[in-house]
Amino acid sequence: GAGVSQSPSNKVTEKGKDVELRCDPISGHTALYWYRQRLGQGLEFLIYFQGNSAPDKSGLPSDRFSAERTGESVSTLTIQRTQQEDSAVYLCASSSSPGITGNTIYFGEGSWLTVV
Amino acid sequence: DQQVKQNSPSLSVQEGRISILNCDYTNSMFDYFLWYKKYPAEGPTFLISISSIKDKNEDGRFTVFLNKSAKHLSLHIVPSQPGDSAVYFCAATNSGTYKYIFGTGTRLKVLA
Protein backbone atom coordinates (compact mmCIF):
# COMPACT_ATOMS: atom_id res chain seq x y z
CA GLY A 1 0.00 0.00 0.00
CA ALA A 2 0.92 3.65 -0.19
CA GLY A 3 1.45 4.06 3.52
CA VAL A 4 1.66 2.13 6.77
CA SER A 5 -1.76 0.73 7.56
CA GLN A 6 -2.89 -0.14 11.08
CA SER A 7 -6.01 -1.80 12.42
CA PRO A 8 -8.14 -1.42 14.37
CA SER A 9 -7.95 2.35 14.55
CA ASN A 10 -9.76 2.28 17.88
CA LYS A 11 -10.25 -0.49 20.40
CA VAL A 12 -11.99 -0.46 23.75
CA THR A 13 -11.47 -3.59 25.79
CA GLU A 14 -12.17 -4.79 29.27
CA LYS A 15 -9.35 -5.24 31.72
CA GLY A 16 -7.99 -8.77 31.55
CA LYS A 17 -8.93 -9.39 27.93
CA ASP A 18 -6.39 -10.01 25.17
CA VAL A 19 -6.05 -7.68 22.18
CA GLU A 20 -4.35 -7.95 18.81
CA LEU A 21 -3.17 -4.97 16.82
CA ARG A 22 -2.20 -5.29 13.20
CA CYS A 23 0.29 -3.41 11.05
CA ASP A 24 0.78 -3.57 7.30
CA PRO A 25 4.03 -1.77 6.41
CA ILE A 26 4.86 0.10 3.25
CA SER A 27 5.48 -2.37 0.44
CA GLY A 28 9.18 -3.13 0.12
CA HIS A 29 10.10 -1.88 3.56
CA THR A 30 12.15 -4.50 5.33
CA ALA A 31 12.19 -2.88 8.75
CA LEU A 32 9.16 -2.59 11.01
CA TYR A 33 8.86 -0.89 14.38
CA TRP A 34 6.23 -0.72 17.09
CA TYR A 35 6.09 2.31 19.36
CA ARG A 36 3.67 3.31 22.09
CA GLN A 37 2.55 6.75 23.21
CA ARG A 38 0.72 7.02 26.48
CA LEU A 39 -1.20 10.14 27.34
CA GLY A 40 1.12 13.09 27.83
CA GLN A 41 4.23 11.09 27.14
CA GLY A 42 6.68 10.64 24.28
CA LEU A 43 7.09 7.81 21.81
CA GLU A 44 8.27 4.67 23.55
CA PHE A 45 10.09 2.03 21.50
CA LEU A 46 8.61 -1.46 21.86
CA ILE A 47 10.01 -3.84 19.25
CA TYR A 48 11.88 -3.89 15.93
CA PHE A 49 11.83 -6.42 13.08
CA GLN A 50 14.31 -6.55 10.21
CA GLY A 51 13.91 -9.19 7.55
CA ASN A 52 14.48 -12.66 8.93
CA SER A 53 16.74 -11.52 11.75
CA ALA A 54 15.78 -12.06 15.36
CA PRO A 55 13.62 -9.11 16.50
CA ASP A 56 14.82 -6.59 19.06
CA LYS A 57 12.29 -7.00 21.84
CA SER A 58 14.14 -4.84 24.33
CA GLY A 59 11.35 -2.27 24.59
CA LEU A 60 8.50 -4.61 25.43
CA PRO A 61 7.30 -3.55 28.91
CA SER A 62 6.29 -6.99 30.18
CA ASP A 63 5.83 -10.59 29.11
CA ARG A 64 2.17 -9.79 28.44
CA PHE A 65 3.36 -8.11 25.26
CA SER A 66 4.45 -10.05 22.20
CA ALA A 67 4.73 -9.40 18.50
CA GLU A 68 5.13 -11.42 15.37
CA ARG A 69 5.96 -10.64 11.79
CA THR A 70 5.67 -12.94 8.82
CA GLY A 71 8.61 -12.36 6.53
CA GLU A 72 8.64 -8.73 5.44
CA SER A 73 4.92 -8.23 5.62
CA VAL A 74 2.23 -7.88 8.23
CA SER A 75 3.01 -7.68 11.94
CA THR A 76 0.73 -8.36 14.89
CA LEU A 77 1.23 -6.92 18.37
CA THR A 78 -0.56 -8.92 21.05
CA ILE A 79 -1.28 -7.73 24.56
CA GLN A 80 -2.49 -10.41 26.93
CA ARG A 81 -4.51 -9.79 30.08
CA THR A 82 -4.73 -6.07 29.37
CA GLN A 83 -4.32 -3.58 32.20
CA GLN A 84 -5.48 0.00 32.40
CA GLU A 85 -1.90 1.25 32.09
CA ASP A 86 -1.80 -0.37 28.63
CA SER A 87 -4.17 2.35 27.39
CA ALA A 88 -2.22 4.22 24.74
CA VAL A 89 -1.88 4.74 21.04
CA TYR A 90 0.20 2.00 19.47
CA LEU A 91 2.14 3.22 16.46
CA CYS A 92 3.68 1.08 13.78
CA ALA A 93 6.42 2.39 11.51
CA SER A 94 8.45 0.98 8.65
CA SER A 95 11.59 1.88 6.77
CA SER A 96 13.50 0.68 3.76
CA SER A 97 17.11 1.09 4.77
CA PRO A 98 17.66 0.75 8.51
CA GLY A 99 21.12 1.67 9.64
CA ILE A 100 21.85 3.74 6.56
CA THR A 101 22.50 7.45 6.99
CA GLY A 102 19.50 9.38 5.84
CA ASN A 103 17.03 6.59 6.44
CA THR A 104 13.60 7.77 7.53
CA ILE A 105 10.90 5.81 9.27
CA TYR A 106 7.27 6.30 8.32
CA PHE A 107 4.41 5.90 10.76
CA GLY A 108 0.88 4.63 10.47
CA GLU A 109 -2.01 6.47 12.04
CA GLY A 110 -1.94 4.32 15.14
CA SER A 111 -4.27 2.02 17.01
CA TRP A 112 -5.90 3.74 19.98
CA LEU A 113 -6.37 1.27 22.81
CA THR A 114 -8.53 2.00 25.81
CA VAL A 115 -8.68 -0.53 28.63
CA VAL A 116 -11.69 -0.08 30.91
CA ASP B 1 17.75 7.80 30.89
CA GLN B 2 16.17 10.28 28.49
CA GLN B 3 18.70 10.53 25.67
CA VAL B 4 16.61 12.99 23.68
CA LYS B 5 14.95 15.83 25.53
CA GLN B 6 12.43 18.44 24.53
CA ASN B 7 12.25 20.62 27.58
CA SER B 8 9.39 22.81 26.45
CA PRO B 9 6.11 20.89 26.52
CA SER B 10 4.26 23.70 24.79
CA LEU B 11 4.79 26.86 22.78
CA SER B 12 2.43 29.56 21.53
CA VAL B 13 3.35 31.82 18.64
CA GLN B 14 1.49 34.48 16.72
CA GLU B 15 0.71 33.75 13.08
CA GLY B 16 3.43 35.08 10.78
CA ARG B 17 6.11 35.05 13.46
CA ILE B 18 8.94 32.55 13.90
CA SER B 19 8.46 29.34 15.86
CA ILE B 20 11.58 27.84 17.42
CA LEU B 21 11.39 24.34 18.82
CA ASN B 22 14.37 22.98 20.71
CA CYS B 23 15.80 19.54 21.30
CA ASP B 24 18.81 18.37 23.30
CA TYR B 25 20.52 15.01 23.22
CA THR B 26 23.11 13.31 25.37
CA ASN B 27 24.48 10.52 23.19
CA SER B 28 27.45 11.75 21.14
CA MET B 29 27.09 8.71 18.87
CA PHE B 30 23.89 10.11 17.35
CA ASP B 31 24.60 11.28 13.81
CA TYR B 32 21.19 11.68 12.20
CA PHE B 33 18.30 13.72 13.50
CA LEU B 34 14.69 14.01 12.40
CA TRP B 35 11.66 16.12 13.19
CA TYR B 36 8.14 14.73 13.03
CA LYS B 37 4.84 16.53 13.25
CA LYS B 38 1.80 14.92 14.82
CA TYR B 39 -1.81 16.09 14.58
CA PRO B 40 -4.39 14.73 17.02
CA ALA B 41 -5.67 11.27 16.14
CA GLU B 42 -3.03 10.86 13.44
CA GLY B 43 0.37 9.21 13.30
CA PRO B 44 3.56 11.28 13.25
CA THR B 45 4.59 12.50 9.81
CA PHE B 46 8.17 13.10 8.78
CA LEU B 47 9.02 16.78 8.43
CA ILE B 48 12.73 17.36 8.00
CA SER B 49 16.05 15.78 8.90
CA ILE B 50 19.71 16.63 9.26
CA SER B 51 22.92 14.64 9.19
CA SER B 52 25.69 15.40 11.65
CA ILE B 53 27.96 16.41 8.75
CA LYS B 54 25.78 19.50 8.32
CA ASP B 55 24.80 22.29 10.66
CA LYS B 56 21.75 23.45 8.76
CA ASN B 57 19.10 22.00 6.50
CA GLU B 58 16.30 24.00 4.96
CA ASP B 59 13.05 22.97 3.33
CA GLY B 60 10.64 25.76 2.54
CA ARG B 61 9.45 27.36 5.76
CA PHE B 62 11.25 24.77 7.87
CA THR B 63 14.91 24.92 8.86
CA VAL B 64 16.72 22.62 11.24
CA PHE B 65 19.94 23.73 12.91
CA LEU B 66 22.40 21.38 14.55
CA ASN B 67 25.00 22.39 17.12
CA LYS B 68 27.05 19.26 17.71
CA SER B 69 29.29 20.75 20.38
CA ALA B 70 26.24 21.70 22.43
CA LYS B 71 24.35 18.53 21.46
CA HIS B 72 21.45 20.73 20.52
CA LEU B 73 19.16 21.02 17.55
CA SER B 74 16.34 23.36 16.78
CA LEU B 75 13.52 23.58 14.28
CA HIS B 76 12.61 27.00 12.94
CA ILE B 77 9.29 27.61 11.22
CA VAL B 78 9.02 30.91 9.38
CA PRO B 79 6.42 32.27 8.93
CA SER B 80 4.27 30.25 11.29
CA GLN B 81 0.78 29.37 10.14
CA PRO B 82 -2.27 28.14 12.09
CA GLY B 83 -2.00 24.81 10.22
CA ASP B 84 1.38 24.30 11.87
CA SER B 85 -0.35 23.80 15.21
CA ALA B 86 0.60 20.25 16.21
CA VAL B 87 2.93 18.28 18.44
CA TYR B 88 6.51 18.21 17.18
CA PHE B 89 8.85 15.35 18.04
CA CYS B 90 12.57 15.30 17.50
CA ALA B 91 14.29 11.96 17.03
CA ALA B 92 17.89 10.86 16.90
CA THR B 93 19.72 7.80 15.71
CA ASN B 94 23.16 6.39 15.09
CA SER B 95 23.22 5.46 11.44
CA GLY B 96 25.03 2.25 12.29
CA THR B 97 21.95 1.10 14.15
CA TYR B 98 18.25 1.03 13.56
CA LYS B 99 17.04 2.56 16.79
CA TYR B 100 15.36 5.95 16.72
CA ILE B 101 15.05 7.68 20.06
CA PHE B 102 12.26 10.21 20.34
CA GLY B 103 11.80 13.19 22.58
CA THR B 104 8.60 13.77 24.52
CA GLY B 105 7.30 16.35 22.07
CA THR B 106 6.47 20.05 22.07
CA ARG B 107 2.93 21.18 21.42
CA LEU B 108 2.97 24.22 19.13
CA LYS B 109 -0.03 26.48 18.92
CA VAL B 110 -0.03 29.15 16.25
CA LEU B 111 -2.50 31.88 17.05
CA ALA B 112 -4.38 33.53 14.20
Side-chain angles (χ1 to χ4, degrees), chain A residues 57-97:
Chain A
K57 304 179 182 180
S58 60
L60 294 179
S62 77
D63 58 8
R64 296 186 295 104
F65 288 72
S66 63
E68 292 183 349
R69 187 183 187 195
T70 306
E72 295 182 353
S73 60
V74 171
S75 174
T76 302
L77 177 69
T78 301
I79 309 173
Q80 294 179 310
R81 305 180 303 281
T82 52
Q83 304 294 315
Q84 287 184 329
E85 66 261 25
D86 300 333
S87 296
V89 58
Y90 290 82
L91 293 159
C92 178
S94 70
S95 72
S96 59
S97 307

Side-chain angles (χ1 to χ4, degrees), chain A residues 33 35 56 99 101 103 105 108, chain B residues 32 36 43 95 97-100 102:
Chain A
Y33 304 75
Y35 283 83
D56 177 355
T101 299
N103 181 58
I105 62 173
Chain B
Y32 185 59
Y36 286 80
S95 55
T97 75
Y98 50 78
K99 278 195 175 175
Y100 293 75
F102 284 81

Side-chain angles (χ1 to χ4, degrees), chain B residues 69-104:
Chain B
S69 60
K71 294 191 179 68
H72 176 84
L73 64 155
S74 61
L75 175 68
H76 292 209
I77 307 173
V78 181
S80 302
Q81 299 173 355
D84 297 329
S85 297
V87 177
Y88 290 79
F89 292 96
C90 67
T93 187
N94 176 341
S95 55
T97 75
Y98 50 78
K99 278 195 175 175
Y100 293 75
I101 309 298
F102 284 81
T104 51

